[in-house]
Amino acid sequence: SRKPSDETGREFLASTDTWFRPCGTRIGPDGALYIADMYRQFIEHPEWIPQDVIERSNLRAGEDKGRIYRVYPKGKTLRRAPRLDNLSVTELAKKLESPSGWQRDQVHRMLVEKQDDAAVLVLKDLTRKSANPKVRLQALCTLEGLNALSPDILISAMQDKHAAVREHAVRLSEPFLRENSPTKLPTPIVAALTNMVADRSIRVRYQLAFSLGELMDNSTVANTLAEIAARDKQNDEVITA
């Protein structure tokens, strides 16, 4: 998120109340931001509080005063929380195509719990055709949770226009690399990975360096790692990878 131009000099949420203890934020199913406020006078463990303060204080002051704030723009109507529990597996998979992160997370979780292959075709279609890169990425990860990833899906995702999708496609390719580790044959997925050595995103190259380590005793991979090291020699993190 980014602060509006007229609010750069102040916090989005602040209080002069010293008992205010915001301890968690979540986006709710209605699109609002939910903020949990523990609301306690003391938040430190007694071990770190001087004995004289302990003796004259109620260290549990505020235990009955926690709050949850619901934050959303003035004049906006919150959306109704969707019912997802009464959908077929195919219908549920289609609900992954949503701008709501909450909804995508619930669909992802429910599909992995169900372990039903009826969702696979829909998810594969979303990895290639959704206009939202977050949906493409999450469809990819849901396929992983269903043990339904295939080299062709991963290779397609490695060519995605969004760097985050490419990065995760590289990460998700690792089981296929481990399967091929004993052989030196240039499988299509290995070829696709080595072709990413000049990817314009340093995060992709960083992940590529880690993931290629799953394929042992392969001269092509060794050359690719050397090329990444030469290209990003000024970046300590990439060199470590």
Side-chain angles (χ1 to χ4, degrees), residues 33-177:
L33 175 67
Y34 285 78
I35 301 168
D37 175 13
M38 188 175 175
Y39 204 80
R40 294 289 186 93
Q41 183 179 10
F42 296 94
I43 203 165
E44 295 84 356
H45 190 281
E47 183 177 352
W48 313 114
I49 300 176
Q51 187 61 36
D52 62 320
V53 176
I54 292 176
E55 290 173 357
R56 67 173 185 266
S57 305
N58 174 12
L59 297 187
R60 298 191 63 81
E63 66 176 334
D64 59 341
K65 294 181 173 59
R67 296 97 181 268
I68 298 176
Y69 295 94
R70 183 172 65 175
V71 184
Y72 59 97
K74 287 182 179 179
K76 295 290 185 180
T77 301
L78 294 173
R79 58 175 174 257
R80 296 184 62 183
R83 284 292 302 269
L84 301 172
D85 58 323
N86 55 2
L87 301 177
S88 70
V89 169
T90 302
E91 291 170 333
L92 185 62
K94 291 178 180 178
K95 291 293 184 180
L96 194 68
E97 178 75 276
S98 170
S100 166
W102 179 91
Q103 179 167 313
R104 292 195 308 271
D105 285 348
Q106 299 310 311
V107 171
H108 186 166
R109 174 184 61 79
M110 293 170 73
L111 289 175
V112 171
E113 287 175 352
K114 291 176 183 294
Q115 288 292 310
D116 191 325
D117 290 343
V120 170
L121 286 178
V122 175
L123 293 169
K124 287 184 174 181
D125 199 49
L126 288 175
T127 65
R128 291 189 170 108
K129 297 180 181 178
S130 175
N132 186 343
K134 293 179 181 179
V135 173
R136 298 197 300 273
L137 191 157
Q138 201 147 10
L140 201 63
C141 292
T142 307
L143 285 169
E144 180 202 23
L146 294 173
N147 298 307
L149 280 177
S150 58
D152 61 310
I153 288 294
L154 287 168
I155 290 170
S156 175
M158 289 173 192
Q159 300 164 3
D160 196 277
K161 60 185 178 182
H162 198 285
V165 180
R166 300 196 303 275
E167 175 188 347
H168 282 272
V170 172
R171 179 180 64 82
L172 294 171
S173 73
E174 292 178 4
F176 294 92
L177 299 182

